[in-house]
Amino acid sequence: MIYLDYNASCPPPPAVIDVVTATLDDAARGALGNPSSSHAAGRRARAIIETAREAVADSADVAPRDVVLTSGATEALGLAIHGTVAALERDAPGAARPHVIASAIEHEAVLAALQTEVARGRIDLSIVAPDAEGIVDAGRVEDALRDETRLVCLLAAQNEVGAVQPFGAIAALCHRAGAVYLCDAVQGPGRGISLASIDADLIAISGHKIGAPPGIGALIRRRPNALVAMIEGGPQEGGLRAGTENTPAAAGFACAIERLAYDEDVEVARCEGLRARLVEGLGRLDRPVSILGPAERGRRLPQTVAVHIPESDSEAIVAALDLEGVAVSAGSACASGALATSHVLTAMGLDERAARGVIRISFGWASTEADIDGALEALRRVLTRF
Ligand code: PLP
């Protein structure tokens, strides 16, 4: 199997598997309990949770108390959006309806949560389009600002095309305007964008995008604003996220984050090499293809390549590559039986036909030159049939 879908989920490295397995072994022996229990097994679990919190906090340069562990980025983003809007309504009843700005290339987790708030009549929403390379110009966000703007959502790097966004300029803009900046940084860590470099008020991250098991993520509160909890129950996570913590995943999360800390520069350089090999190979296919998004380093992720194959059907190509043992993603998603065109690609100006001919190849720590060559060979074979 050649796995080139790291932006969907990054395989856990051996060190992560070891700590998660050890945690489960401890639980099986009765040495690890519920982190809220006061006995030794509970205290052991609590220590693992707090170590994960500290690892996230250190990597973002915030205090551990400003990290809310969640089930993943979708939940962190939902807490940030619904929690902020609910707190505004609670704390300023009768005030003008809050205005929110979001880019058109946010993940569905952001766009769906915002649409829900629009439907509830709790916010006015402005959507800002990216340019043809998938980058949102800070000037466009500035133009959309109003006196009532309370929240701005712009991700750090776009997951489908890898375009890196001007999060520094947006942070400065939001601080001047007194708006909360929520940055979805899921595709940042391990891909050359450190959390410490993101000066957003709220930052969402996901464990399984950096090699932790699925089921863990975090909302980082660099400048904590008022938030109302979305999941109610016990007092976990400072009252912002009830429910028993995922101790095995937290152990893996801490390990994955610590691993990034000493590996990242080398890994980014290695991925740049793999990317160059892939792009060169794509240029030698019998059929002309083009790479979407920015070409220059720094303006794009090192390990994400969105390929437009004219007059093709990406779902069919992904299925054919799957049969060849190669895992990549389509730039469009099949929802409830109907082929939905990617909102990101259409926002970048691709028409529906073109957007249906885009595949995403993304790689990471376990990817090798042989994987890239094998995927190119499989693609060459597949394209003779489409
Ligand atoms: N945001 C971005 C940019 C993503 O790529 C993803 C996952 O694809 C998410 C949010 C959702 O993350 P999770 O799977 O942790 O809910």
Side-chain angles (χ1 to χ4, degrees):
M1 185 75 189
I2 298 177
Y3 183 80
L4 298 176
D5 202 11
Y6 277 59
N7 285 11
S9 207
C10 167
V16 169
I17 297 171
D18 287 349
V19 296
V20 173
T21 311
T23 312
L24 290 168
D25 280 347
D26 284 350
R29 287 188 299 106
L32 196 75
N34 186 316
S36 297
S37 300
S38 58
H39 46 61
R43 292 198 305 276
R44 184 109 196 276
R46 169 59 49 206
I48 291 175
I49 298 298
E50 296 314 319
T51 301
R53 191 186 316 288
E54 275 164 34
V56 175
D58 283 354
S59 71
D61 207 9
V62 300
R65 66 170 176 277
D66 295 329
V67 173
V68 183
L69 295 175
T70 63
S71 65
T74 298
E75 188 193 320
L77 292 162
L79 170 61
I81 291 169
H82 298 305
T84 298
V85 172
L88 286 170
E89 193 176 70
R90 178 196 63 192
D91 299 340
R97 192 161 37 209
H99 174 238
V100 178
I101 300 172
S103 85
I105 54 171
E106 296 301 298
H107 190 269
E108 291 83 352
V110 169
L111 294 175
L114 291 173
Q115 290 303 347
T116 296
E117 292 298 348
V118 170
R120 288 176 181 161
R122 298 213 292 195
I123 60 167
D124 286 333
L125 179 63
S126 298
I127 298 285
V128 178
D131 63 17
E133 290 191 315
I135 296 182
V136 175
D137 180 48
R140 288 194 187 180
V141 176
E142 188 163 19
D143 290 346
L145 278 172
R146 299 183 197 159
D147 289 345
E148 314 79 56
T149 306
R150 296 286 169 269
L151 178 65
V152 175
C153 308
L154 177 65
L155 35 58
Q158 214 296 317
N159 48 303
E160 290 182 37
V161 294
V164 174
Q165 306 299 320
F167 48 83
I170 299 298
L173 204 68
C174 288
H175 299 157
R176 280 200 303 277
V180 172
Y181 174 26
L182 167 61
C183 182
D184 170 351
V186 166
Q187 302 291 350
R191 293 149 172 86
I193 301 175
S194 78
L195 294 177
S197 71
I198 302 176
D199 194 23
D201 303 289
L202 299 174
I203 302 170
I205 58 168
S206 170
H208 73 109
K209 309 290 181 171
I210 57 167
I216 191 133
L219 181 65
I220 299 160
R221 306 171 76 202
R222 192 178 290 294
R223 281 173 217 83
N225 63 312
L227 283 181
V228 171
M230 294 296 104
I231 301 178
E232 294 171 305
Q236 293 92 347
E237 299 302 310
L240 282 174
R241 201 275 178 182
T244 303
E245 300 90 338
N246 187 345
T247 308
F253 200 21
C255 178
I257 291 170
E258 279 154 17
R259 199 178 146 273
L260 292 183
Y262 60 82
D263 254 8
E264 190 157 357
D265 290 350
V266 179
E267 188 49 21
V268 165
R270 202 181 69 83
C271 282
E272 284 290 353
L274 293 178
R275 184 184 190 279
R277 192 178 185 95
L278 174 62
V279 170
E280 203 227 340
L282 289 167
R284 281 190 278 104
L285 289 172
D286 304 325
R287 186 128 146 223
V289 301
S290 56
I291 312 295
L292 302 179
E296 315 91 81
R297 278 186 194 202
R299 298 182 72 230
R300 53 150 180 83
L301 296 178
Q303 46 60 271
T304 306
V305 179
V307 191
H308 176 217
I309 306 166
E311 306 303 318
S312 75
D313 172 354
S314 57
E315 290 287 343
I317 291 176
V318 167
L321 285 173
D322 188 30
L323 290 175
E324 299 261 352
V326 178
V328 300
S329 278
S332 50
C334 201
S336 6
L339 194 61
T341 311
S342 154
H343 68 279
V344 174
L345 299 175
T346 46
M348 287 167 61
L350 271 74
D351 63 30
E352 206 160 305
R353 180 87 194 88
R356 285 195 179 173
V358 177
I359 61 169
R360 178 189 68 189
I361 303 172
S362 55
F363 39 89
W365 69 270
S367 309
T368 60
E369 291 186 348
D371 289 338
I372 299 294
D373 295 347
L376 283 165
E377 268 319 302
L379 187 58
R380 183 185 302 281
R381 282 193 297 277
V382 163
L383 287 184
T384 59
R385 287 185 264 137
F386 291 94

